[in-house]
């Protein structure tokens, strides 16, 4: 036996033969036993695991529904849960129209649903909680990032106040981003019992401070609640706190950080009515507010796959027939395994040798082996290209992340050594560097999804004027700060098939890029004519030699200003990928000193309302 010859006990033929015989023998021998015990085991499984399965699936789906406005992206979640549990999971509307189904199966019109998935009216028996509205359904009550640090500072002051009075506590952050103080212990030196006056003296500053978004949402909720309570002329006096408690009074109970108005604690206000009635109206108003932000109510069915099971009773004749079939199947399996295995080993061995030597695999047939050889050859080429791309990507990422990380480390070390004061300016610097890191990571995530082919594009008829107006309005602040005039011109009212979120991201990247490269006194103009969108600036322009590289990742015409402008070097690369994902194209025209013109042409029919 040569050193390259595989021992008989390790050869593919032997292993294939032994495995096939063992599998066939085990399967055939177990058939009778499985047939006799399947029903009993199924019943035991249903009784013991159905409730746990339903609870796990229900909680996962309620969490999804609370954070998404529809069920379009829940297919992966449903299928993965069904695979984990070995169950069939189906979601339908109230009239039993199928929304999602993990697998094909019989109709469920006459089947009782396992639960009703509605994040605005959760099943407390399955969740074990006390709130009928899922806390993950935040809707318009999300605290903007720029307001959270103010609320966090007030929360720290509130906790300090409680500590001075002899109470220990922790700061917890809700799903909305709003902090709150939860008391955990009372020390022996506590000055006085924890009464309402004590909690208001320490906590009222935090309870009465809201972001502009929260205040607007609470005012809308107050209007809905007053209508439900039939307050009539007293409706404007209804006040609702961030904890969704309603009171009557002429003075406000909440204010924003920029408002200098008088606010009164709830103890000085009157209840809006019986607690049960008022809270019912408040919950009704919240459901009205949150309904557009959550997935529609759905019926959940968690059932066993297949149609049904029966118990098999074997007689003597049946056992004899099974033994005969077992022997015939076993002999046929051995013969077929030997014949097929010998034919398979030779080309597979050739493929293995080619893979070991990293040489092109010979393609001698047009069957599955030939396809495998071609796939191996293609895989080797893709591997080499991917390795080159990986090295380039790692170098680029390391280069981009090094500067903000170094800045954060330097400032932190300076603060530790008392070389820099730990004041608001230092926190702002660290926050800016952290935001830059997050921006780079988010951009890399989008590009990774585009490279992997998993970038989700939801094409729908989209009012182009509304989308562009939203993007332009969101950048007016940065344009004003840079001294740049930002203008929008839309011909007619075009409607295109596009993903609104991704389209805003594309145009937003182009506008922010134009503002960064336009000096004070310049202008940025956004135009739309049918499916064509253009962003023109009066900035420094781009050299002709640099135009072919403008959409490359981490490429900049002027490396020295990358850190000043805050760009990650990924914005235009994302513009190209997202535009191509829409089936469109993006072009750039520019010359030094004459600004730049970026033009996006979306594919598909366009209509004008």
């Amino acid at each position: 036996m040569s050193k390259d010859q595989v021992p008989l006990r390790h050869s593919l033929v032997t292993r294939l033969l032994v495995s096939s015989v063992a599998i066939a023998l085990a399967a055939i021998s177990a058939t009778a036993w499985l047939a006799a015990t399947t029903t009993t085991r199924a019943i035991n499984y249903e009784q013991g695991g159905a409730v746990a399965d339903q609870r796990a699936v229900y909680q996962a789906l309620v969490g999804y529904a609370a954070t998404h406005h529809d069920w379009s992206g829940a297919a992966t979640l449903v299928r993965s849960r069904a695979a984990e549990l070995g169950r069939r999971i189906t979601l339908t509307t109230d009239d039993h129209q199928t929304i999602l189904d993990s697998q094909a199966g019989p109709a469920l019109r006459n089947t009782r649903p396992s639960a009703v998935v509605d994040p605005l009216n959760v099943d407390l028996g399955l969740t074990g909680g006390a709130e009928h509205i899922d806390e993950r359904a935040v809707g318009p009550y999300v605290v903007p990032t720029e307001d959270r640090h103010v609320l966090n500072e007030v929360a720290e002051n509130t906790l300090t106040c409680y500590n001075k009075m002899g109470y220990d506590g922790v700061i917890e952050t809700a799903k909305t981003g709003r902090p709150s103080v939860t008391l955990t212990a009372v020390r022996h030196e506590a000055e006085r019992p924890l009464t309402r006056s004590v909690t208001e003296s320490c906590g009222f500053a935090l309870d009465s401070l809201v972001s502009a978004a929260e205040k607007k949402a609470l005012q809308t909720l107050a209007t809905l609640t007053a209508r439900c309570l039939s307050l009539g002329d007293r409706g404007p006096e209804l006040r609702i706190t961030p904890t969704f408690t309603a009171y009557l009074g002429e003075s406000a109970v909440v204010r924003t950080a920029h408002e200098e108005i008088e606010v009164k604690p709830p103890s000085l206000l009157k209840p809006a009515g019986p607690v049960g009635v008022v809270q019912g109206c408040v919950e009704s108003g919240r459901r009205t507010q949150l309904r557009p932000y959550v997935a529609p109510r759905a019926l959940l069915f968690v059932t066993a796959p297949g149609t049904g099971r029966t118990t098999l009773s074997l007689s003597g004749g049946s056992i004899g027939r099974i033994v005969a079939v077992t022997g015939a199947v076993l002999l046929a399996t051995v013969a077929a395994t030997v014949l097929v295995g010998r034919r398979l080993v030779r080309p597979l061995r050739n493929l293995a040798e080619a893979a070991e030597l990293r040489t092109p695999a010979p393609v001698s047939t047009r069957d599955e082996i030939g396809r495998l050889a071609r796939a191996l050859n293609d895989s080797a080429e893709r591997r080499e290209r991917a390795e080159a791309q990986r090295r380039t990507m790692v170098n680029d990422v390391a280069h981009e992340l090094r500067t903000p990380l170094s800045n954060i480390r330097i400032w932190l070390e300076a603060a530790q050594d008392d070389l820099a004061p730990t004041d608001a300016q230092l926190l702002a610097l660290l926050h800016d560097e952290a935001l830059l890191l997050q921006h780079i990571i988010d951009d890399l995530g989008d590009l990774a999804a585009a490279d992997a082919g998993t970038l989700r594009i939801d094409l729908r008829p989209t009012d182009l004027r509304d989308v562009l107006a939203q993007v332009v309005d969101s950048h007016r602040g940065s344009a004003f700060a840079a001294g740049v005039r930002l203008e929008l011109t839309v011909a007619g009212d075009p409607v295109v098939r596009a993903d609104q979120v991704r389209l805003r991201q594309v145009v937003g990247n182009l506008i922010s890029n134009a503002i960064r490269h336009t000096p004070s006194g310049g202008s940025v103009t956004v135009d739309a004519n049918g499916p064509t969108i253009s962003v023109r600036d009066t900035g420094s322009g781009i050299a002709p030699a640099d135009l072919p590289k403008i959409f490359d990742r981490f490429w900049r015409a002027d490396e020295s200003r990358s850190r000043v402008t805050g760009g990650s070097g990924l914005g235009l690369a994302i513009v190209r990928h997202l535009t191509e994902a829409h089936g469109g194209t993006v072009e750039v025209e520019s010359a030094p000193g004459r600004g730049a013109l970026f033009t996006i042409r979306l594919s598909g029919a366009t209509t004008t309302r």
Side-chain angles (χ1 to χ4, degrees), residues 91-100 109:
L91 286 176
T92 73
T93 60
D94 288 333
D95 57 356
H96 290 268
Q97 296 295 319
T98 301
I99 300 175
L100 290 172
R109 287 191 172 276

Side-chain angles (χ1 to χ4, degrees), residues 393-408 433-434 436-442 444 554 563 568 570:
M393 190 69 173
V394 169
N395 291 334
D396 289 340
V397 172
H399 172 75
E400 287 300 316
L401 297 184
R402 184 180 295 113
T403 299
L405 286 175
S406 297
N407 290 340
I408 291 174
E433 295 298 331
L436 177 58
L437 284 174
Q438 184 65 51
H439 180 60
I440 295 173
I441 292 171
D442 290 342
L444 288 172
F554 296 111
R563 202 50 60 200
S568 66
L570 296 171

Side-chain angles (χ1 to χ4, degrees), residues 363-431:
V363 182
S364 57
T365 62
R366 301 181 63 180
D367 56 9
E368 290 79 4
I369 302 299
R371 293 173 58 189
L372 176 59
R374 288 189 291 272
L376 286 175
N377 293 336
D378 293 340
S379 177
E381 295 178 2
R382 288 195 300 270
R383 183 177 65 248
E384 293 177 359
R385 291 195 300 268
E387 180 63 19
Q389 293 174 351
R390 184 193 64 80
R391 288 194 296 267
T392 302
M393 190 69 173
V394 169
N395 291 334
D396 289 340
V397 172
H399 172 75
E400 287 300 316
L401 297 184
R402 184 180 295 113
T403 299
L405 286 175
S406 297
N407 290 340
I408 291 174
R409 187 195 67 189
I410 290 171
W411 281 110
L412 289 177
E413 290 176 352
Q416 289 177 334
D417 297 337
D418 294 329
L419 299 178
T422 55
D423 54 10
Q425 183 179 4
L426 176 60
L427 293 177
L429 288 172
L430 296 178
H431 184 257

Side-chain angles (χ1 to χ4, degrees), residues 244-255:
F244 303 114
T245 305
Y247 299 93
L248 285 175
E250 296 181 356
S251 299
V253 295
V254 294
R255 67 177 184 86

Side-chain angles (χ1 to χ4, degrees), residues 100-111:
L100 290 172
D101 202 340
S102 63
Q103 66 181 77
L108 302 172
R109 287 191 172 276
N110 297 323
T111 304

Side-chain angles (χ1 to χ4, degrees), residues 59-322:
Q59 291 178 343
L61 291 177
V62 166
Y64 177 91
T67 54
H68 296 77
H69 68 280
D70 58 30
W71 293 102
S72 60
T76 301
L77 172 63
V78 170
R79 285 195 294 267
S80 63
R81 287 288 179 171
E84 291 174 7
L85 301 175
R87 314 282 280 177
R88 177 190 175 195
I89 300 176
T90 308
L91 286 176
T92 73
T93 60
D94 288 333
D95 57 356
H96 290 268
Q97 296 295 319
T98 301
I99 300 175
L100 290 172
D101 202 340
S102 63
Q103 66 181 77
L108 302 172
R109 287 191 172 276
N110 297 323
T111 304
R112 183 178 180 182
S114 305
V116 178
V117 181
D118 186 355
L120 305 183
N121 192 13
V122 299
D123 188 332
L124 302 183
L126 290 175
T127 62
E131 296 293 333
H132 288 284
I133 298 178
D134 193 283
E135 65 175 1
R136 292 164 290 191
V138 295
Y141 292 94
V142 176
V143 180
T145 303
E146 60 269 17
D147 292 326
R148 295 187 184 185
H149 73 278
V150 177
L151 288 172
N152 289 334
E153 289 180 1
V154 177
E156 292 285 353
N157 295 336
T158 300
L159 182 58
T160 300
C161 176
Y162 280 121
N163 290 338
K164 290 180 179 179
M165 300 186 71
Y167 298 94
D168 295 330
V170 295
I171 296 177
E172 298 178 342
T173 303
K175 300 297 182 180
T176 60
R178 180 177 183 84
S180 62
V181 176
T182 301
L183 301 181
T184 57
V186 181
R187 298 196 298 271
H188 294 295
E189 65 271 21
E191 297 178 2
R192 45 182 171 160
L194 188 63
T195 61
R196 185 171 186 176
S197 61
V198 173
T199 58
E200 286 188 351
S201 64
C202 287
F204 180 61
L206 178 60
D207 294 340
S208 62
L209 183 61
V210 296
S211 65
E214 288 180 290
K215 183 173 182 179
K216 181 178 179 181
L218 289 173
Q219 289 173 341
T220 302
L221 179 60
T223 301
L224 295 172
T225 304
R227 188 181 305 151
C228 174
L229 293 172
S230 301
L231 293 180
D233 295 338
R234 300 201 65 187
E237 298 180 13
L238 186 67
R239 314 296 181 194
I240 298 183
T241 68
T243 58
F244 303 114
T245 305
Y247 299 93
L248 285 175
E250 296 181 356
S251 299
V253 295
V254 294
R255 67 177 184 86
T256 66
H258 304 292
E259 290 180 319
E260 295 182 359
I261 60 175
E262 180 184 2
V263 291
K264 288 188 177 181
S267 60
L268 300 180
L269 303 177
K270 298 179 181 179
V275 175
V277 175
V278 173
Q279 287 306 114
C281 284
V282 171
E283 285 194 4
S284 176
R286 288 179 63 197
R287 290 190 180 97
T288 301
Q289 277 187 300
L290 297 175
R291 180 59 65 187
Y293 298 90
V294 300
R297 161 192 164 104
L299 303 183
L300 170 64
F301 298 86
V302 181
T303 57
T307 56
R309 301 180 178 88
T310 58
T311 301
L312 177 63
S313 178
L314 298 179
S315 62
S318 297
I319 294 176
R321 286 191 295 272
I322 290 177

